[in-house]
Amino acid sequence: MTTSKYYEFIHKDLLASHGTSSIAPTKDFHVHDNYEIYLFLDGEVNLFINQFCYHLQRGNLLVINNHEIHKVINLSGKPYERMTIHFKPDMIQPFCSAETNLLHCFINRKSGFDHIIQLDESQIEEFIRISSKLIHALEHKTYGSDVLSLTFLVQILVFTNDAFGKVKSLLPRATSSFIHSVMQYIENNLRSELSLEQISKKLSVDKFYLSHMFKSQTGGTIYHYILMKRVALAKQLLADGHSVSLACHSSGFNDYANFIRTFKKISGISPGKYAKLSRSQSQN
């Protein structure tokens, strides 16, 4: 087994890893510009995607696009095992056809739904077999390894889309109805004011109770969760061709300077540069 390094901000176009550790690669909710395929193999883990939480079982296969915030919580503190693949969606476009959209399972679904399916043991073995070849090609830079890496990624995407097309997606079931209602309220009101006081008033609960319950069940703060949701929405708006000003106000940032500063801190680049890169990638 190969345990590779993980990064909060993934800059490479393609990264794959088969890892076992007791510490989640990121401590809080995050979003990145890559698409992610995640196969859970062993451990006691909850995984949040947007406002949904899943208690993972061996063979759970998840897909996460570049506008969905997510976070892993290791419930036991013991090592857990998973395989992950991150890739830039634009690198796959040349391999798609009129009959085969390799990005289908990432984009052709309701926002926040259809993230996860259950693989049987033969499917788990097949996924591990192809992914291990991808990891080997990425780690051993020899003649043809770059081409082989792409062919293995295409095979994995064919496998993943085929599996998602045949199996009914699993339903989230790991978080309380209260926390789900908090996250759903945030989801529906990102463009409005969302202070702790305002949310607690709307949900008719004490703000200290709200803060405590959110922290105890998600491991993070409401403030950070809202911030990541707004940055993710701003990225989506910028990628769709909207101006920096519109992305700022439509994602709930009322202060333009604060938006520029926050976006750059979380994403590593300014909103203007992000929009320009998104446009250039869509034209390639």
Side-chain angles (χ1 to χ4, degrees):
M1 181 188 303
T2 301
T3 302
S4 300
K5 292 182 179 179
Y6 288 81
Y7 300 90
E8 184 171 359
F9 302 109
I10 298 168
H11 298 290
K12 294 182 179 180
D13 287 346
L14 177 58
L15 180 69
S17 180
H18 186 175
T20 300
S21 68
S22 58
I23 301 173
T26 53
K27 295 182 179 180
D28 215 327
F29 287 98
H30 61 284
V31 63
H32 40 69
D33 294 327
N34 300 61
Y35 284 8
E36 179 175 358
I37 304 172
Y38 185 109
L39 176 66
F40 185 75
L41 293 169
D42 187 51
E44 190 71 17
V45 161
N46 280 351
L47 191 146
F48 279 94
I49 306 177
N50 287 336
Q51 69 269 37
F52 301 98
C53 185
Y54 302 89
H55 183 67
L56 299 186
Q57 306 290 330
R58 175 176 171 80
N60 283 171
L61 183 67
L62 298 98
V63 292
I64 306 169
N65 68 35
N66 56 351
H67 299 132
E68 295 170 320
I69 70 170
H70 50 285
K71 174 183 180 176
V72 169
I73 299 177
N74 186 358
L75 301 173
S76 69
K78 298 178 182 178
Y80 67 98
E81 182 183 358
R82 70 281 187 193
M83 297 192 84
T84 60
I85 298 165
H86 297 86
F87 66 95
K88 290 283 178 64
D90 57 286
M91 70 188 298
I92 291 300
Q93 293 292 351
F95 302 96
C96 297
S97 69
E99 294 79 22
T100 306
N101 180 0
L102 294 171
L103 302 177
H104 176 81
C105 62
F106 293 92
I107 57 179
N108 293 324
R109 53 181 167 82
K110 291 175 63 179
S111 178
F113 290 90
D114 300 334
H115 292 111
I116 177 172
I117 59 172
Q118 177 66 50
L119 303 183
D120 61 31
E121 284 300 321
S122 64
Q123 290 174 311
I124 294 171
E125 290 178 8
E126 178 67 5
F127 186 94
I128 292 175
R129 183 186 68 82
I130 305 171
S131 298
S132 296
K133 289 184 177 181
L134 171 60
I135 292 169
H136 184 272
L138 290 173
E139 293 187 343
H140 297 82
K141 301 298 183 181
T142 58
Y143 175 78
S145 61
D146 55 341
V147 176
L148 287 172
S149 297
L150 285 172
T151 62
F152 295 138
L153 176 59
V154 168
Q155 290 180 52
I156 291 166
L157 288 169
V158 170
F159 172 94
T160 301
N161 278 279
D162 183 60
F164 267 81
K166 292 178 178 177
V167 180
K168 187 176 181 180
S169 296
L170 302 178
L171 296 176
R173 58 188 182 277
T175 192
S176 70
S177 58
F178 173 69
I179 294 302
H180 179 73
S181 66
V182 173
M183 291 179 163
Q184 190 64 56
Y185 179 81
I186 292 171
E187 179 77 15
N188 295 335
N189 294 276
L190 273 178
R191 293 170 172 83
S192 308
E193 180 184 351
L194 282 173
S195 65
L196 182 63
E197 291 77 8
Q198 190 265 346
I199 297 171
S200 61
K201 183 178 179 180
K202 286 291 183 181
L203 297 179
S204 301
V205 295
D206 179 79
K207 67 177 182 179
F208 298 107
Y209 173 80
L210 171 61
S211 180
H212 170 73
M213 289 298 291
F214 194 92
K215 177 75 173 180
S216 65
Q217 292 197 35
T218 71
T221 66
I222 288 181
Y223 172 79
H224 183 78
Y225 180 79
I226 294 171
L227 202 62
M228 293 307 303
K229 288 290 294 180
R230 283 178 166 161
V231 169
L233 177 56
K235 283 185 171 184
Q236 185 170 0
L237 291 166
L238 292 168
D240 290 342
H242 296 291
S243 68
V244 174
S245 178
L246 188 144
C248 168
H249 296 290
S250 295
S251 58
F253 287 93
N254 295 319
D255 184 290
Y256 188 79
N258 179 53
F259 169 65
I260 301 295
R261 183 170 57 252
T262 302
F263 190 100
K264 187 172 183 179
K265 181 179 179 181
I266 292 174
S267 304
I269 59 175
S270 69
K273 187 173 182 180
Y274 183 88
K276 188 177 295 184
L277 287 172
S278 298
R279 285 195 298 270
S280 65
Q281 289 172 358
S282 64
Q283 292 168 359
N284 290 337

